[in-house]
Amino acid sequence: MSNKEALRELQQRLAQRMQAAREQTQAASWLAVECAGVGLLFSLKQAAEIFTPVPLKAVPYAQPWLAGVANLRGGLFTVVDLAAFLGLRAAQRPEVAAAAAQQARFVSLNPELNINCALLVDRLMGLRSEDSLSPEPADPNAGPRPRFAGARMRDPSGRSWQQLDLEALSRHEKFLRIVV
């Protein structure tokens, strides 16, 4: 089986599991992704589809974290380099990002959020259920956190995960200000 076929099958299995998780009556279900080595959790109710990256059109005079605009299933989506937006790494030029992005994916926001946007993430890490995660104690020395930063969780293997509220992210002042 070729790498492309295996990847396509993985994406289909993840999409099926995401749909099944949406239909279950769990307290919360999460899509786990990685950006610049940091584990992030997106609510399945706020994330929509996963796409293999496609060529992007540059947007002149945009913020450095705005990777470009892409045609995804016939719709025009703004693509945000999530790691750059969060300050986890400097924004990458599209040709550099494309060369290093074999595992990178676009995760679109749920259409109910009324924003045609996809987040560029470095890697998909699977699905997580609420009962497989435990809350981490709050760090008293941590500075102020943006509204979109939810609780920090830990999985059974000890890996730390940061929940992101994609609705709050899509309404964040910095996120809405894409032009320099």
Side-chain angles (χ1 to χ4, degrees), residues 94-134:
E95 62 275 7
V96 172
Q102 282 194 326
Q103 294 182 333
R105 295 290 172 266
F106 295 158
V107 178
S108 65
L109 276 58
N110 191 310
E112 293 176 5
L113 299 179
N114 295 320
I115 184 168
N116 278 6
C117 180
L119 303 173
L120 172 62
V121 299
D122 295 343
R123 182 186 331 191
L124 298 176
M125 301 297 288
L127 297 174
R128 303 290 187 271
S129 64
E130 189 71 25
D131 56 354
S132 71
L133 300 167
S134 58

Side-chain angles (χ1 to χ4, degrees), residues 11-12 16 19 28 51 54 63 69 77 92 95 108 112 118 151:
Q11 286 178 307
Q12 289 173 342
Q16 290 168 347
Q19 184 61 36
F51 298 93
V54 297
Q63 296 288 344
V69 178
F77 284 77
Q92 299 175 335
E95 62 275 7
S108 65
E112 293 176 5

Side-chain angles (χ1 to χ4, degrees), residues 15-38:
Q16 290 168 347
R17 288 179 63 194
M18 283 176 64
Q19 184 61 36
R22 280 189 190 107
E23 293 169 358
Q24 292 177 355
T25 58
Q26 295 179 356
S29 294
W30 306 96
L31 172 63
V33 301
E34 191 174 85
C35 287
V38 175

